[in-house]
Coordinates of all heavy atoms in Angstrom, one line a residue:
E1 N -2.9 -73.2 9.5 CA -2.9 -73.1 8.1 C -1.7 -72.5 7.5 O -1.5 -72.5 6.3 CB -4.1 -72.2 7.7 CG -4.1 -70.8 8.1 CD -4.6 -70.5 9.5 OE1 -4.8 -71.5 10.3 OE2 -4.9 -69.3 9.8
K2 N -0.8 -71.9 8.3 CA 0.5 -71.4 7.8 C 1.7 -72.2 8.1 O 2.8 -71.8 8.0 CB 0.7 -70.0 8.4 CG -0.4 -69.0 8.0 CD -0.1 -67.6 8.5 CE -1.2 -66.6 8.0 NZ -1.0 -65.2 8.6
R3 N 1.5 -73.5 8.5 CA 2.6 -74.3 8.9 C 3.1 -75.2 7.7 O 4.1 -75.9 7.9 CB 2.2 -75.2 10.1 CG 2.0 -74.4 11.4 CD 1.9 -75.3 12.6 NE 1.8 -74.4 13.8 CZ 2.0 -74.9 15.0 NH1 2.3 -76.1 15.2 NH2 1.8 -74.1 16.1
G4 N 2.3 -75.3 6.6 CA 2.7 -76.1 5.5 C 2.5 -77.6 5.8 O 3.2 -78.4 5.2
V5 N 1.6 -77.9 6.7 CA 1.3 -79.3 7.0 C -0.1 -79.7 6.5 O -1.0 -78.9 6.4 CB 1.5 -79.6 8.5 CG1 2.9 -79.2 8.9 CG2 0.4 -79.0 9.3
S6 N -0.3 -81.0 6.3 CA -1.6 -81.5 6.0 C -1.9 -82.7 6.9 O -0.9 -83.4 7.4 CB -1.7 -82.0 4.5 OG -3.0 -82.4 4.2
M7 N -3.2 -82.9 7.3 CA -3.5 -83.9 8.3 C -4.6 -84.8 7.7 O -5.6 -84.4 7.1 CB -3.9 -83.2 9.6 CG -4.0 -84.2 10.8 SD -3.9 -83.3 12.3 CE -4.1 -84.6 13.5
V8 N -4.4 -86.1 8.0 CA -5.4 -87.1 7.6 C -6.0 -87.7 8.9 O -5.2 -88.2 9.8 CB -4.8 -88.3 6.8 CG1 -5.9 -89.3 6.4 CG2 -4.1 -87.7 5.5
F9 N -7.3 -87.5 9.1 CA -7.9 -87.8 10.4 C -8.5 -89.3 10.4 O -8.7 -89.9 9.3 CB -9.0 -86.8 10.7 CG -8.6 -85.4 10.9 CD1 -8.5 -84.5 9.8 CD2 -8.2 -85.0 12.1 CE1 -8.1 -83.2 10.0 CE2 -7.8 -83.7 12.3 CZ -7.7 -82.8 11.3
Q10 N -8.7 -89.7 11.6 CA -9.3 -91.1 11.8 C -10.7 -91.1 11.2 O -11.1 -92.1 10.6 CB -9.4 -91.3 13.3 CG -10.0 -92.7 13.6 CD -10.1 -92.9 15.2 OE1 -9.4 -92.2 15.9 NE2 -10.8 -93.9 15.6
S11 N -11.4 -90.0 11.2 CA -12.8 -90.0 10.7 C -12.9 -89.6 9.2 O -14.0 -89.4 8.7 CB -13.6 -88.9 11.5 OG -13.1 -87.6 11.3
Y12 N -11.8 -89.5 8.5 CA -11.7 -89.2 7.1 C -12.0 -87.7 6.9 O -11.3 -87.1 6.1 CB -12.6 -90.0 6.2 CG -12.6 -91.5 6.5 CD1 -13.8 -92.2 6.4 CD2 -11.5 -92.2 6.8 CE1 -13.9 -93.6 6.7 CE2 -11.5 -93.5 7.1 CZ -12.7 -94.2 7.0 OH -12.8 -95.5 7.3
A13 N -13.0 -87.1 7.5 CA -13.4 -85.7 7.3 C -13.7 -85.4 5.9 O -13.4 -84.4 5.4 CB -12.3 -84.8 7.9
V14 N -14.4 -86.4 5.2 CA -14.8 -86.2 3.8 C -16.2 -85.6 3.8 O -17.1 -86.0 4.5 CB -14.8 -87.5 3.0 CG1 -15.4 -87.3 1.6 CG2 -13.3 -88.0 2.9
W15 N -16.3 -84.5 3.0 CA -17.6 -83.8 3.0 C -18.6 -84.6 2.1 O -18.4 -84.7 0.9 CB -17.5 -82.4 2.5 CG -16.7 -81.5 3.5 CD1 -17.2 -81.0 4.7 CD2 -15.4 -81.0 3.3 NE1 -16.2 -80.3 5.3 CE2 -15.1 -80.3 4.5 CE3 -14.4 -81.1 2.3 CZ2 -13.9 -79.6 4.7 CZ3 -13.2 -80.5 2.5 CH2 -13.0 -79.7 3.7
P16 N -19.7 -85.1 2.7 CA -20.6 -86.0 1.9 C -21.4 -85.3 0.8 O -21.8 -85.9 -0.1 CB -21.5 -86.5 3.0 CG -21.5 -85.6 4.1 CD -20.1 -85.0 4.1
H17 N -21.6 -83.9 1.0 CA -22.4 -83.2 0.0 C -21.6 -82.8 -1.2 O -22.1 -82.2 -2.2 CB -23.0 -81.9 0.7 CG -22.0 -80.9 1.1 ND1 -21.2 -81.1 2.2 CD2 -21.6 -79.7 0.6 CE1 -20.4 -80.1 2.4 NE2 -20.6 -79.2 1.4
M18 N -20.3 -83.1 -1.2 CA -19.4 -82.7 -2.3 C -19.0 -83.9 -3.1 O -19.0 -85.1 -2.6 CB -18.1 -82.0 -1.8 CG -18.3 -80.7 -1.2 SD -16.6 -80.0 -0.8 CE -17.1 -78.5 0.0
T19 N -18.6 -83.7 -4.4 CA -18.1 -84.8 -5.2 C -16.7 -85.1 -4.7 O -16.1 -84.3 -4.0 CB -18.1 -84.5 -6.7 OG1 -17.1 -83.4 -6.8 CG2 -19.4 -84.1 -7.2
V20 N -16.2 -86.2 -5.2 CA -14.8 -86.6 -4.9 C -13.8 -85.5 -5.4 O -12.9 -85.0 -4.7 CB -14.4 -87.9 -5.6 CG1 -12.9 -88.2 -5.6 CG2 -15.2 -89.1 -4.9
F21 N -14.0 -85.0 -6.6 CA -13.2 -83.9 -7.1 C -13.2 -82.7 -6.2 O -12.2 -82.1 -5.9 CB -13.7 -83.5 -8.5 CG -12.9 -82.5 -9.2 CD1 -11.9 -82.8 -10.1 CD2 -13.1 -81.1 -8.9 CE1 -11.1 -81.8 -10.7 CE2 -12.3 -80.1 -9.5 CZ -11.3 -80.5 -10.4
D22 N -14.4 -82.3 -5.8 CA -14.5 -81.0 -5.0 C -13.9 -81.2 -3.6 O -13.4 -80.3 -3.0 CB -16.0 -80.6 -4.9 CG -16.6 -80.1 -6.2 OD1 -15.8 -79.6 -7.0 OD2 -17.8 -80.2 -6.4
N23 N -14.0 -82.4 -3.1 CA -13.3 -82.7 -1.8 C -11.8 -82.5 -1.9 O -11.2 -81.8 -1.0 CB -13.6 -84.1 -1.3 CG -14.8 -84.2 -0.4 OD1 -14.6 -84.0 0.8 ND2 -15.9 -84.6 -0.9
V24 N -11.2 -83.0 -2.9 CA -9.8 -82.9 -3.1 C -9.4 -81.5 -3.5 O -8.3 -81.0 -3.1 CB -9.3 -83.9 -4.1 CG1 -7.8 -83.8 -4.4 CG2 -9.6 -85.3 -3.7
A25 N -10.3 -80.8 -4.2 CA -10.0 -79.4 -4.7 C -10.1 -78.4 -3.6 O -9.6 -77.2 -3.8 CB -10.9 -79.1 -5.9
Y26 N -10.8 -78.7 -2.6 CA -11.2 -77.7 -1.6 C -10.0 -76.9 -1.1 O -10.0 -75.6 -1.1 CB -12.0 -78.3 -0.4 CG -12.4 -77.3 0.6 CD1 -13.6 -76.6 0.4 CD2 -11.7 -77.0 1.8 CE1 -14.0 -75.6 1.3 CE2 -12.1 -76.1 2.7 CZ -13.3 -75.4 2.5 OH -13.7 -74.5 3.4
G27 N -9.0 -77.6 -0.6 CA -7.8 -76.9 -0.1 C -7.1 -76.1 -1.1 O -6.5 -75.0 -0.8
L28 N -7.1 -76.5 -2.3 CA -6.4 -75.8 -3.4 C -7.2 -74.5 -3.7 O -6.6 -73.4 -4.0 CB -6.3 -76.6 -4.7 CG -5.6 -77.9 -4.5 CD1 -5.7 -78.8 -5.7 CD2 -4.1 -77.7 -4.2
R29 N -8.5 -74.6 -3.7 CA -9.3 -73.4 -4.0 C -9.2 -72.4 -2.8 O -9.2 -71.2 -3.1 CB -10.8 -73.8 -4.1 CG -11.0 -74.6 -5.5 CD -12.4 -75.2 -5.5 NE -12.7 -75.8 -6.8 CZ -13.6 -76.7 -7.0 NH1 -14.4 -77.2 -6.0 NH2 -13.8 -77.2 -8.2
V30 N -9.1 -72.9 -1.6 CA -8.9 -71.9 -0.5 C -7.6 -71.1 -0.6 O -7.5 -70.0 -0.3 CB -8.9 -72.7 0.9 CG1 -8.4 -71.9 2.0 CG2 -10.3 -73.3 1.2
R31 N -6.6 -71.8 -1.3 CA -5.4 -71.1 -1.5 C -5.4 -70.3 -2.8 O -4.4 -69.7 -3.2 CB -4.2 -72.2 -1.6 CG -3.9 -72.8 -0.3 CD -3.0 -74.0 -0.4 NE -2.6 -74.6 0.9 CZ -3.4 -75.3 1.7 NH1 -4.6 -75.6 1.3 NH2 -3.0 -75.7 2.8
K32 N -6.6 -70.2 -3.4 CA -6.8 -69.3 -4.6 C -5.9 -69.6 -5.7 O -5.4 -68.7 -6.4 CB -6.7 -67.9 -4.2 CG -7.7 -67.4 -3.0 CD -7.6 -65.9 -2.8 CE -8.5 -65.6 -1.6 NZ -9.9 -66.0 -1.8
L33 N -5.7 -70.9 -6.0 CA -4.9 -71.3 -7.1 C -5.8 -71.2 -8.4 O -7.0 -71.3 -8.4 CB -4.4 -72.8 -7.0 CG -3.5 -73.1 -5.8 CD1 -3.1 -74.5 -5.9 CD2 -2.3 -72.2 -5.9
P34 N -5.2 -71.0 -9.6 CA -5.9 -70.9 -10.8 C -6.7 -72.2 -11.1 O -6.2 -73.3 -10.7 CB -4.8 -70.7 -11.9 CG -3.7 -70.1 -11.1 CD -3.7 -70.7 -9.8
R35 N -7.8 -72.1 -11.8 CA -8.7 -73.2 -12.0 C -7.9 -74.4 -12.7 O -8.1 -75.5 -12.4 CB -9.9 -72.8 -12.9 CG -10.8 -73.9 -13.2 CD -12.1 -73.5 -13.9 NE -12.8 -72.5 -13.2 CZ -14.0 -72.0 -13.6 NH1 -14.4 -72.2 -14.8 NH2 -14.7 -71.1 -12.8
T36 N -7.1 -74.0 -13.7 CA -6.4 -75.1 -14.5 C -5.4 -75.8 -13.6 O -5.3 -77.0 -13.7 CB -5.6 -74.5 -15.7 OG1 -4.8 -73.4 -15.2 CG2 -6.6 -73.9 -16.7
E37 N -4.8 -75.1 -12.7 CA -3.8 -75.7 -11.8 C -4.5 -76.6 -10.7 O -4.1 -77.7 -10.4 CB -3.0 -74.6 -11.0 CG -1.9 -75.2 -10.2 CD -0.9 -74.2 -9.6 OE1 -1.0 -73.0 -10.1 OE2 -0.2 -74.5 -8.7
V38 N -5.7 -76.1 -10.3 CA -6.5 -76.9 -9.4 C -6.9 -78.3 -10.0 O -6.7 -79.3 -9.5 CB -7.8 -76.2 -9.0 CG1 -8.8 -77.2 -8.2 CG2 -7.5 -75.0 -8.1
A39 N -7.3 -78.2 -11.3 CA -7.7 -79.4 -12.0 C -6.5 -80.4 -12.2 O -6.7 -81.6 -12.0 CB -8.3 -79.1 -13.4
E40 N -5.4 -79.8 -12.5 CA -4.2 -80.6 -12.7 C -3.7 -81.3 -11.4 O -3.4 -82.5 -11.4 CB -3.0 -79.8 -13.2 CG -3.2 -79.3 -14.7 CD -2.1 -78.3 -15.1 OE1 -1.2 -78.0 -14.2 OE2 -2.2 -77.8 -16.2
Q41 N -3.8 -80.5 -10.3 CA -3.3 -81.1 -9.0 C -4.3 -82.1 -8.5 O -3.9 -83.2 -7.9 CB -3.2 -80.0 -8.0 CG -2.1 -78.9 -8.3 CD -0.8 -79.5 -8.0 OE1 -0.3 -80.4 -8.7 NE2 -0.1 -79.0 -6.9
V42 N -5.6 -81.9 -8.7 CA -6.6 -82.9 -8.3 C -6.5 -84.2 -9.1 O -6.5 -85.3 -8.5 CB -8.1 -82.3 -8.4 CG1 -9.1 -83.4 -8.2 CG2 -8.3 -81.2 -7.5
E43 N -6.3 -84.1 -10.4 CA -6.2 -85.2 -11.2 C -4.9 -86.0 -10.8 O -5.0 -87.3 -10.7 CB -6.1 -84.9 -12.7 CG -6.0 -86.1 -13.6 CD -6.0 -85.7 -15.1 OE1 -6.1 -84.5 -15.4 OE2 -6.0 -86.6 -15.9
R44 N -3.8 -85.3 -10.5 CA -2.6 -86.0 -10.1 C -2.8 -86.7 -8.8 O -2.5 -87.9 -8.6 CB -1.5 -85.0 -9.9 CG -0.2 -85.6 -9.4 CD 0.8 -84.5 -9.1 NE 0.4 -83.6 -8.0 CZ 0.6 -83.9 -6.7 NH1 1.3 -85.0 -6.4 NH2 0.2 -83.1 -5.8
A45 N -3.5 -86.1 -7.8 CA -3.7 -86.6 -6.5 C -4.6 -87.8 -6.6 O -4.3 -88.9 -5.9 CB -4.2 -85.6 -5.5
L46 N -5.7 -87.7 -7.3 CA -6.6 -88.9 -7.5 C -5.9 -90.0 -8.2 O -6.2 -91.2 -7.9 CB -7.9 -88.4 -8.2 CG -8.8 -87.5 -7.5 CD1 -10.0 -87.1 -8.3 CD2 -9.3 -88.2 -6.2

């Protein structure tokens, strides 16, 4: 988690109980980014 890398797996590793937004936002929230920044980054990525 401290290497600055992200990984995309063969199995997708998408959490089925979450919405698309929450799946993408998860890593940003773990990093404790402000809510507005999370929303902006998720919208950009989607």
Side-chain angles (χ1 to χ4, degrees):
E1 66 273 14
K2 295 183 179 179
R3 295 192 178 194
V5 303
S6 187
M7 193 158 178
V8 180
F9 295 92
Q10 179 179 349
S11 62
Y12 316 141
V14 171
W15 291 289
H17 64 285
M18 292 184 183
T19 64
V20 167
F21 182 96
D22 289 335
N23 264 279
V24 178
Y26 182 82
L28 301 171
R29 289 169 176 161
V30 167
R31 289 168 175 79
K32 302 186 184 302
L33 297 182
R35 180 178 297 182
T36 55
E37 188 173 345
V38 169
E40 289 172 1
Q41 295 286 72
V42 171
E43 185 177 359
R44 178 188 65 86
L46 289 177

